[in-house]
Amino acid sequence: MTDASEVAQRFGALRERLIRVGGDRVRVVAVTKGFGLEAVVAAMGAGLVDMGENYAQELLAKAGHVGEELEAELRPCWHFIGRLQRNKIRKIAHLVDLWQSVDRPEAAVEIARWAPGARVLVQVDITDIGGRGGCPPEGTAQLVAGCRQAGLEVAGLMAVGEPGPPERSRPGFRLLAAQAADLGLPELSMGMSADIEVAVEEGATMVRVGTALFGPRPR
Ligand SMILES: *Cc1c(COP(=O)(O)O)cnc(C)c1O
């Protein structure tokens, strides 16, 4: 179970961390993967409006019930941040407000097919190890162009940092910020529970936070 007052308290602490590095205007996306609907309700109760989901099934389940728990005007803003599977895009297209994990042209085309003109971020793999999702940095400009060609609105770039000590993510975050600046893209979604400070210092406009808000994930 997710305790609502605990989530509110953790959100307060998270805000202090952000403020300390000048990130008081950074948008916090609450990542509720692995947690149930009560995590969404607790986060909304604490004043968070942006929810991040990694799995289509979980998004469908939570979005289907959240209306019963909240007043209609309090509907969260759903961010899809997981791997995009072609056959799942259609099922969630009517729900997603921002697609953060567009990593290849085929995904862009499929999103545009079911949600014409949707807002997206292009995910870039900035890690040395690779395999954390996203297109290689050499392919960013081309993928941004591909998304636009499909009729999508590219708002910015997204990346997952390096595992391990937060400082390890800095060069990658810096690269992502440089690419966004070159391409004239305003949004930078980078930084998770462990490395929000480094991400904000490097220009994040959005951080995606799970465990720092909800505690350890149950599975
Ligand atoms: C799980 C996840 C997060 C949140 O990670 P925490 O370490 O729990 O804050 C952020 N972004 C993506 C893409 C994720 O999969």
Side-chain angles (χ1 to χ4, degrees):
M1 270 303 281
T2 310
D3 184 76
S5 66
E6 233 170 87
V7 171
Q9 210 170 357
R10 289 203 189 99
F11 184 35
L14 182 76
R15 268 210 181 114
E16 277 169 33
R17 282 176 66 189
L18 289 170
I19 289 167
R20 242 175 267 140
V21 288
D24 35 308
R25 303 187 62 176
V26 168
R27 201 153 144 190
V28 176
V29 178
V31 177
T32 60
K33 68 162 176 255
F35 295 98
L37 179 62
E38 72 274 6
V40 176
V41 174
M44 299 280 293
L48 286 140
V49 291
D50 295 288
M51 302 295 141
E53 286 296 334
N54 292 65
Y55 304 104
Q57 280 322 111
E58 273 195 54
L59 170 56
L60 285 167
K62 287 172 200 167
H65 290 287
V66 79
E68 296 161 16
E69 305 279 337
L70 298 163
E71 294 168 51
E73 62 267 30
L74 291 178
R75 174 191 179 282
C77 194
W78 295 107
H79 298 243
F80 195 78
I81 63 170
R83 294 288 166 94
L84 286 165
Q85 290 172 267
R86 207 169 168 275
N87 59 330
K88 300 277 170 64
I89 290 171
R90 176 175 62 85
K91 294 183 184 152
I92 57 171
H94 61 294
L95 290 168
V96 177
D97 295 289
L98 182 64
W99 303 82
Q100 290 212 8
S101 47
V102 178
D103 60 348
R104 59 194 194 283
E106 297 75 31
V109 167
E110 193 67 7
I111 291 168
R113 184 175 171 200
W114 301 105
R119 285 185 88 222
V120 302
L121 304 181
V122 162
Q123 183 176 355
V124 183
D125 190 348
I126 54 166
T127 64
D128 290 333
I129 48 164
R132 303 216 90 191
C135 72
E138 314 83 73
T140 308
Q142 199 181 343
L143 184 51
V144 167
C147 289
R148 288 187 176 139
Q149 206 163 15
L152 299 174
E153 183 196 333
V154 184
L157 304 179
M158 181 274 237
V160 175
E162 296 277 357
E167 276 300 326
R168 251 189 225 166
S169 297
R170 193 181 295 277
F173 287 162
R174 192 165 289 180
L175 171 67
L176 194 77
Q179 291 202 323
D182 280 347
L183 295 163
L185 299 170
E187 297 286 355
L188 264 181
S189 173
M190 56 191 198
M192 317 202 314
S193 293
D195 56 14
I196 52 168
E197 285 87 356
V198 174
V200 169
E201 283 165 3
E202 296 302 329
T205 60
M206 231 184 272
V207 292
R208 308 176 310 272
V209 181
T211 49
L213 283 171
F214 303 112
R217 263 184 291 277
R219 57 185 154 85

